[in-house]
Amino acid sequence: MRKNKAFSRKILALPYTVFMILFVVVPLVLIIAYAFTDESGRITFDNFRTFFSGGHNINTLMFSIFIGMANTAVCLLLGYPAAYILAKKGMGFGKATVLLFVMPMWINFVLRTAATRDLLFAMGINGGEHPYFSTMIGMVYNYLPFVILPLYTTMTKMDLSLIEASYDLGANKVETFFLTVLPMTMPGIVSAATMVFMPTMSSYVISDVMGERKISLIGNSIQLYFDQGLWHIGSLVALIMLVIMAFGSFCTETEAENNSRGGLW
């Protein structure tokens, strides 16, 4: 009986394994192969020299990191109190309100961004005149639900007795928040930051639509290289992005693990 169950589980995992190989492993191998070769297929490091010798590429990468950090910070500042308020309300009210935040995600990404641009234009905010401000509004609008949802899920599972114990021990609201509530919600913060920072850096639709092509992120550079047929340098930029994302994910996971081991105090 146990052998049959193990065999059935392997069969069920087969479609997922095939999907991962075709759409994750194979594209990753192709990106690495293109990044380390030239048009003739010879192994070379000229793509690295081309990227790191160009000041524009480095500036674009640094600016993308800055935009990613800024968008993450703004989304956390807006999403954390919203998730906290929703978690303190009744379960039915909280779930219904969170659903309202998530519902716009059901609409096509490009349509949402274009609608936001048209709304700002009707309010007198022109992306051509204020590209940075318009782009940040588009970023926050599109990625704020990815902050509220994991934070809300984490906050609904908080042990409220620990908060009560903190007050009983003489801590005020500020001390209780930083020493009790914040550590308990750290897994949600880490998950939210990862879901916002990484996609923001590689995004190019929002900057193109909201900033009217006056802002260039690293995602725009990758698209431009591929559109021009420069597959090798474009693959190198994509590989650099993958390394940065992997490093960021490793750091956030390590931080979350350290917080879980360290406890609340």
Side-chain angles (χ1 to χ4, degrees):
M1 182 66 69
R2 291 182 178 179
K3 291 183 178 180
N4 292 334
K5 288 183 178 180
F7 180 75
S8 62
R9 290 176 180 176
K10 291 181 180 180
I11 294 297
L12 293 175
L14 184 59
Y16 177 76
T17 303
V18 174
F19 177 86
M20 291 293 293
I21 292 175
L22 292 179
F23 297 102
V24 177
V25 177
V26 173
L28 183 58
V29 171
L30 290 176
I31 289 175
I32 296 174
Y34 272 105
F36 288 94
T37 57
D38 56 15
E39 287 76 6
S40 61
R42 294 178 299 180
I43 297 177
T44 181
F45 292 96
D46 289 340
N47 298 324
F48 288 87
R49 299 190 191 97
T50 302
F51 179 82
F52 288 104
S53 62
H56 175 73
N57 294 326
I58 302 299
N59 292 336
T60 301
L61 179 60
M62 293 297 103
F63 180 72
S64 300
I65 294 175
F66 171 76
I67 289 294
M69 295 175 62
N71 186 40
T72 303
V74 174
C75 287
L76 285 174
L77 289 175
L78 295 176
Y80 194 97
Y84 188 76
I85 293 172
L86 293 176
K88 291 185 66 176
K89 296 293 184 179
M91 292 298 293
F93 173 83
K95 290 182 178 180
T97 309
V98 170
L99 182 62
L100 293 178
F101 281 102
V102 177
M103 281 180 64
M105 300 297 103
W106 300 348
I107 304 173
N108 181 270
F109 181 79
V110 179
L111 293 179
R112 290 200 317 267
T113 305
T116 306
R117 177 200 58 191
D118 294 341
L119 177 61
L120 291 180
F121 185 79
M123 297 170 59
I125 302 176
N126 189 347
E129 298 177 356
H130 309 282
Y132 297 99
F133 182 66
S134 299
T135 299
M136 283 303 303
I137 291 179
M139 292 288 187
V140 172
Y141 168 72
N142 279 282
Y143 291 110
L144 184 60
F146 295 102
V147 170
I148 294 179
L149 187 59
L151 285 175
Y152 172 79
T153 303
T154 302
M155 291 175 179
T156 54
K157 299 177 182 179
M158 288 192 304
D159 189 352
L160 300 181
S161 62
L162 294 176
I163 300 177
E164 296 176 359
S166 177
Y167 288 130
D168 293 339
L169 293 173
N172 56 37
K173 291 184 178 181
V174 176
E175 293 172 336
T176 299
F177 174 77
F178 283 102
L179 297 177
T180 305
V181 177
L182 191 61
M184 284 194 294
T185 58
M186 189 57 66
I189 294 175
V190 172
S191 177
T194 304
M195 295 173 66
V196 173
F197 177 72
M198 307 300 177
T200 299
M201 286 185 59
S202 59
S203 173
Y204 66 91
V205 174
I206 298 177
S207 59
D208 276 352
V209 175
M210 301 298 298
E212 297 187 7
R213 298 184 180 273
K214 291 188 176 182
I215 292 181
S216 180
L217 300 179
I218 197 68
N220 299 95
S221 298
I222 298 174
Q223 180 202 18
L224 181 62
Y225 284 128
F226 285 157
D227 288 343
Q228 294 177 347
L230 302 175
W231 295 91
H232 300 275
I233 184 65
S235 298
L236 173 65
V237 179
L239 181 61
I240 292 174
M241 283 296 302
L242 287 174
V243 172
I244 294 175
M245 291 181 180
F247 178 76
S249 299
F250 174 78
C251 291
T252 52
E253 290 296 332
T254 302
E255 181 67 21
E257 184 177 353
N258 291 337
N259 281 301
S260 63
R261 290 180 178 179
L264 299 180
W265 303 93

